[in-house]
Amino acid sequence: MSASAFLPRTAALTTTALTAAALLAATLAAPAALAAGPVAPGADYKAAYDTLGPQRLTPAQQRLAAAKQAEAARTYDGVRTRAPLAGYKLSGGIHQSQKTSYWCGPATLVITQSARDEVAGRSQQDAATLLKTTSNGTAWYGININVPSPTGYPMADALNHRLPGAGYVPKALPYTPTATDKANFKQHITHDTDNDFAIAGNAWEVPGGPHLVGHPNIEIFHWVSIDGYNTDTAAGQVNYLDPVGGVSTSVISWAGSVPKSARISSDTITTIMGGRGYVW
């Protein structure tokens, strides 16, 4: 997605590219509590400008998340102690380049789904219709889609609708993810990959903060599919598929520098998702 295609700030989306002066103003406007302790780069800006309301899991999601967390923590102990496999373990998502500047969500849905069922070439238009994607993009939270018992998390609801029994749950992250958040993400990506699933991650990149590979130093909301981890570091690094990769620069001006597949520190991508989160 490009900043020019990023649409007016909504509960989940924005397109503002800050100047240095604007970033300073955002920093000064951040809550005083954030200044009292270490924060992730860009977290002060996120806290000052976020318009997303309270996010709530349904009781069923809470039970499922707790059960998955317990299982992921248990199996991660084995990941840390088993012999290295000398490389990355992937669930095998099939990349698609997003068809419009604001269809990263639909593209991520079909990529993430393909990691499980290995079906390529699904329609991004169908995915966009299901997700209720607009020219503002695909919401992280606050949109009920046309599935039985929607929860307000469109990506989680769409994945569970298309992959019955998958048990996807959303994991919201604070503006500055904690050490526990980062440890949990390592457990979640190994759990999903080992069970042949991918994670749908909702990035919020801001000037001065970390960015995905090839992305410019501007504010970007973006969906990616995280489909594997480095076995030698117990998920210290992960692999992800970026829908901007392969997009024409006439659609997204900076797309030429973005790879279809990239590797990044798991702590860094957790920070990038701070203020939004991921579906695992």
Side-chain angles (χ1 to χ4, degrees):
M1 293 187 176
S2 68
S4 60
F6 275 3
L7 318 145
R9 179 175 295 280
T10 67
L13 301 161
T14 185
T15 66
T16 308
L18 291 183
T19 65
L23 180 58
L24 176 60
T27 301
L28 295 175
L34 285 174
V39 297
D44 47 5
Y45 170 78
K46 293 180 180 182
Y49 283 91
D50 194 8
T51 59
L52 186 60
Q55 303 168 57
R56 299 180 178 87
L57 298 181
T58 67
Q61 285 176 323
Q62 292 175 22
R63 292 190 295 270
L64 179 58
K68 289 187 71 174
Q69 176 59 52
E71 175 66 11
R74 183 186 66 79
T75 56
Y76 185 70
D77 287 339
V79 171
R80 290 188 301 171
T81 58
R82 72 190 180 199
L85 300 177
Y88 277 76
K89 184 173 184 179
L90 305 177
S91 54
I94 303 170
H95 184 269
Q96 283 194 32
S97 300
Q98 60 190 77
K99 302 296 186 183
T100 75
S101 61
Y102 50 87
W103 273 9
C104 60
T108 293
L109 173 57
V110 299
I111 294 169
T112 304
Q113 183 179 355
S114 73
R116 179 61 177 174
D117 63 18
E118 301 180 355
V119 175
R122 284 191 173 90
S123 166
Q124 290 184 30
Q125 177 64 72
D126 290 347
T129 299
L130 176 61
L131 290 166
K132 293 190 175 180
T133 300
T134 69
S135 58
N136 285 334
T138 302
W140 160 247
Y141 176 70
I143 299 295
N144 283 328
I145 65 172
N146 296 321
V147 298
S149 303
T151 68
Y153 289 92
M155 186 64 73
D157 290 344
L159 284 166
N160 286 329
H161 177 68
R162 288 187 162 200
L163 295 170
Y168 272 99
V169 291
K171 172 61 177 177
L173 292 170
Y175 304 123
T176 302
T178 65
T180 297
D181 292 320
K182 294 174 181 178
N184 286 344
F185 176 72
K186 294 181 179 72
Q187 296 171 0
H188 297 169
I189 187 57
T190 56
H191 173 275
D192 275 23
T193 304
D194 289 352
N195 286 283
D196 202 27
F197 289 98
I199 284 175
N202 194 200
W204 184 359
E205 303 168 276
V206 297
H211 281 67
L212 299 171
V213 177
H215 287 215
N217 188 34
I218 59 177
E219 183 174 31
I220 303 172
F221 278 92
H222 189 49
W223 285 96
V224 296
S225 185
I226 307 165
D227 78 329
Y229 66 94
N230 188 331
T231 63
D232 296 332
T233 61
Q237 296 82 33
V238 297
N239 192 83
Y240 69 92
L241 302 176
D242 192 331
V244 170
V247 173
S248 170
T249 54
S250 65
V251 177
I252 297 176
S253 62
W254 45 267
S257 63
V258 178
K260 294 180 179 179
S261 177
R263 293 169 179 176
I264 193 171
S265 158
S266 60
D267 288 353
T268 298
I269 199 168
T270 304
T271 297
I272 289 171
M273 295 184 294
R276 291 300 179 263
Y278 55 93
V279 177
W280 73 289

